[in-house]
Amino acid sequence: MLSSSRSPRGTRTKVCGVTSVRDAELCIAEGVDAIGINLIASSARFVDEATAADIAKAIRGRAMSVGVVANMSAAAMLALRDRLALDCLQLHGDEPPEALAPLLPHAYKAIRVATREDVARADAFGGDYILADARHGAELGGTGHTFDWTLVATLAKTRKLTLAGGLTPENVAEAIRVVSPYCVDVASGVEIVGDPRRKDRAKIRAFVAASRGS
């Protein structure tokens, strides 16, 4: 899970909401460790199964493919993961702990955080890995909003935490300083302005450099 020989030092990087093989290749060329592929139909970054399978195939062995899903049954998620040959799944909806359990270790839960009570929900979910995103209304993610990073600093000491929510090349170094996460996850922060379906290579390069202190 999110392990890679590409990051022998520093924090791992994940770019989420990648919608094409072209953008996935840009991410890999800039040293990204994991690619998030959005399979939630309501998302502006949604891709169909054929596109998702193409991306997963293109990056296999070079970066981890992460399918982002929401509110599916465990059986449906297992079938989807196998059908698309994804490395793992990110459960980004309102799934209960028992939905995650059959998918382990090749899945993890995303929790939306605004309060300490939100963080406490992580204890109910199994596995070594967890993702913390900003809670902003009813939106599931990719909002570009941050949250109080200090809320998850303790969680990052006990779980392999992926930190998401409004990260950019400009603020990711500070986020890492505060939280010391296992991985940092970016979507809107590396997009071409006005186009949530395309990534900006210069922003990806700057994000990776900032996350690794170079």
Side-chain angles (χ1 to χ4, degrees):
M1 288 285 300
L2 292 179
S3 63
S4 174
S5 60
R6 298 174 65 85
S7 297
R9 61 181 178 81
T11 306
R12 290 159 178 80
T13 53
K14 173 172 169 275
V15 173
C16 204
V18 172
T19 63
S20 67
V21 170
R22 175 188 174 277
D23 278 3
E25 292 287 358
L26 289 182
C27 291
I28 290 174
E30 297 302 332
V32 170
D33 299 295
I35 303 293
I37 306 166
N38 199 312
L39 296 159
I40 303 172
S42 61
S43 171
R45 303 170 184 89
F46 167 77
V47 296
D48 59 27
E49 289 194 14
T51 302
D54 285 346
I55 295 171
K57 181 179 179 180
I59 68 175
R60 190 162 299 130
R62 298 186 293 158
M64 175 164 286
S65 59
V66 181
V68 182
V69 297
N71 302 324
M72 298 172 64
S73 70
M77 287 188 284
L78 279 169
L80 178 69
R81 189 180 70 194
D82 292 346
R83 191 162 63 245
L84 303 186
L86 298 166
D87 291 317
C88 71
L89 294 178
Q90 175 180 311
L91 281 60
H92 217 99
D94 300 310
E95 299 87 1
E98 55 266 28
L100 175 64
L103 304 169
L104 295 174
H106 303 295
Y108 57 90
K109 183 71 178 79
I111 56 170
R112 298 190 293 281
V113 174
T115 67
R116 294 191 184 281
E117 289 71 25
D118 295 327
V119 179
R121 293 181 57 235
D123 290 339
F125 292 92
D128 293 334
Y129 299 83
I130 197 88
L131 181 145
D133 198 358
R135 178 156 62 84
H136 183 70
E139 297 180 65
L140 295 182
T143 66
H145 289 267
T146 60
F147 65 96
D148 180 358
W149 297 321
T150 64
L151 292 173
V152 295
T154 299
L155 181 62
K157 295 177 181 178
T158 59
R159 304 284 288 272
K160 291 181 178 178
L161 175 75
T162 294
L163 181 66
L167 296 181
T168 68
E170 292 73 32
N171 68 12
V172 68
E174 176 64 10
I176 290 170
R177 186 192 69 78
V178 172
V179 179
S180 296
Y182 180 76
C183 179
V184 284
D185 182 317
V186 62
S188 61
V190 294
E191 288 169 354
I192 291 173
V193 175
D195 189 350
R197 299 189 64 81
R198 293 180 62 203
K199 303 304 184 190
D200 183 312
R201 184 167 188 168
K203 291 180 180 178
I204 295 169
R205 181 182 300 128
F207 185 87
V208 172
S211 72
R212 294 179 185 164
S214 59

